[in-house]
Amino acid sequence: MNPLLWPSRGIANGLGLAWWARVETRSPDAVYWFGPFVRRQTLERALPAFLDDLRAESPASLEHQCLRTGRSEPFTETPDLAD
């Protein structure tokens, strides 16, 4: 990744204009956030490798969507099992 783009990604993310992939899996139940990207095309080029990594974990299902938003930690969300 080009280090010159880091500041623009941070600014875009802070303004809620960055592109993120929201990936939801079942069994294990989790939501993964992949980003930020300044351009949707850049996200779409990088996303297949990320999805392949998640598919290697053999989830029961995997769905994704590309969203323009701002995100902060956590980038992986799981159901609260502390009940």
Side-chain angles (χ1 to χ4, degrees), residues 7-68:
S8 59
R9 289 185 323 152
I11 291 168
N13 190 47
L15 294 173
L17 299 174
W19 286 97
W20 288 83
R22 181 184 185 277
V23 183
E24 188 170 351
T25 63
R26 292 284 173 243
S27 202
D29 294 347
V31 174
Y32 302 92
W33 289 91
F34 180 60
F37 292 87
V38 175
R39 297 178 55 212
R40 182 183 179 121
Q41 294 85 356
T42 309
L43 167 59
E44 290 172 344
R45 280 195 306 266
L47 186 56
F50 183 73
L51 295 176
D52 287 345
D53 285 345
L54 291 178
R55 283 187 188 106
E57 297 176 15
S58 301
S61 69
L62 185 146
E63 296 179 16
H64 75 278
Q65 60 188 132
C66 296
L67 304 169
R68 196 166 213 184

